[in-house]
Amino acid sequence: MKDRTDSIIGAVQHIRKEFTLSYYEVNFKNENIKIYEVTKKSLVHLLIFYEDKQIGQIEKSLKRYNNLDQYQLFLLDDFSRFKDILILFVGYFDNWNYSDIGEVVALNREISWEWSYSKANSKYNKNWIQENFHLSEEHRAAINNEQMGIVFILIFVLMGLMGIAVVIGFIVQK
C-alpha cells in the first residue's frame, strides 16, 4: 500500500512457518500485526495479535445469503489505529479465499461447516470476545456450539481411512 506521495506505508503477506502453521502478516506504518485463521463449525475466527498479545478478532460467518459474506471486527480501543488497515485486509482475505467472481445469485442461502487443524488453534480463546465486548445471545450461542459432534468426527475418520486405503491400493497396483 502506498500513500498519496507514493511512499509505501503497508503490506500484507501470507506466511507459512510450518506445515501446520501459517498466518497473515500485516505491516502498517512500521508496525506489524499477525493474523491467525481458526475455523470452528460455521465461524471463521481471524485472531489479531500485536507483539504476541491478542488485540482483536474478525469473525466471518460461513452462512451466506445471495453470495454475500458477513464479517465483524472486534478491536480493542487502544489499537483503533489499525481499524482501516484491517478493513482493507478483510477485502484482501475475502477476495483471496471466498470470492465468487462473475457469479450472480438471487434468493440463495448457503451454510457450510468447517474445522481447522493447525497450531493456530492453540491461540484461539473462545471467550476472548465475550471478555472484551458485549455479544448478542445468538453470537454467544454460535461460539459455544462450535465443537465438532461425534457423528462428524466418525465421518472424518472414516473418510481419512478410505483415502489411505485408496492410496495404498494405488501403490500396490503399481
Side-chain angles (χ1 to χ4, degrees):
M1 287 169 272
K2 296 182 179 183
D3 64 10
R4 292 181 182 155
T5 64
D6 216 26
S7 299
I8 295 175
I9 60 167
V12 175
Q13 61 182 331
H14 187 243
I15 296 174
R16 179 167 299 278
K17 281 288 193 189
E18 303 169 22
F19 180 70
T20 60
L21 178 64
S22 67
Y23 58 88
Y24 296 91
E25 187 170 84
V26 179
N27 176 279
F28 183 63
K29 295 183 179 178
N30 296 322
E31 291 186 287
N32 290 312
I33 54 178
K34 291 181 181 177
I35 303 174
Y36 298 90
E37 180 181 355
V38 174
T39 306
K40 303 278 188 181
K41 202 169 185 177
S42 62
L43 287 174
V44 176
H45 307 281
L46 299 171
L47 314 174
I48 305 163
F49 282 79
Y50 178 72
E51 296 178 350
D52 295 324
K53 176 186 180 234
Q54 187 170 359
I55 62 162
Q57 191 163 315
I58 299 169
E59 303 256 299
K60 180 206 182 309
S61 174
L62 291 176
K63 298 176 183 176
R64 300 173 72 194
Y65 303 97
N66 297 329
N67 272 4
L68 298 176
D69 294 302
Q70 299 173 8
Y71 289 85
Q72 286 184 292
L73 170 62
F74 298 90
L75 187 62
L76 298 176
D77 289 339
D78 292 346
F79 301 94
S80 62
R81 66 187 179 274
F82 294 121
K83 182 182 76 168
D84 292 337
I85 194 71
L86 289 169
I87 291 169
L88 288 172
F89 170 78
V90 166
Y92 163 83
F93 177 83
D94 188 69
N95 185 57
W96 190 259
N97 295 291
Y98 296 99
S99 67
D100 294 312
I101 296 172
E103 186 175 310
V104 177
V105 175
L107 303 174
N108 182 23
R109 180 176 162 202
E110 176 185 319
I111 299 173
S112 59
W113 288 354
E114 298 176 9
W115 283 270
S116 60
Y117 298 97
S118 77
K119 288 187 177 180
N121 285 8
S122 65
K123 296 186 176 298
Y124 176 60
N125 171 5
K126 78 175 191 174
N127 297 318
W128 186 86
I129 294 177
Q130 296 176 48
E131 292 167 357
N132 293 284
F133 300 91
H134 177 71
L135 289 180
S136 69
E137 286 303 317
E138 179 184 0
H139 196 152
R140 194 180 307 261
I143 291 172
N144 289 331
N145 191 24
E146 290 179 327
Q147 298 305 332
M148 185 183 292
I150 189 71
V151 172
F152 286 105
I153 292 172
L154 289 173
I155 291 171
F156 182 76
V157 169
L158 287 173
M159 295 294 284
L161 291 173
M162 289 178 8
I164 291 170
V166 167
V167 169
I168 289 173
F170 182 75
I171 291 171
V172 170
Q173 282 183 342
K174 285 191 168 202

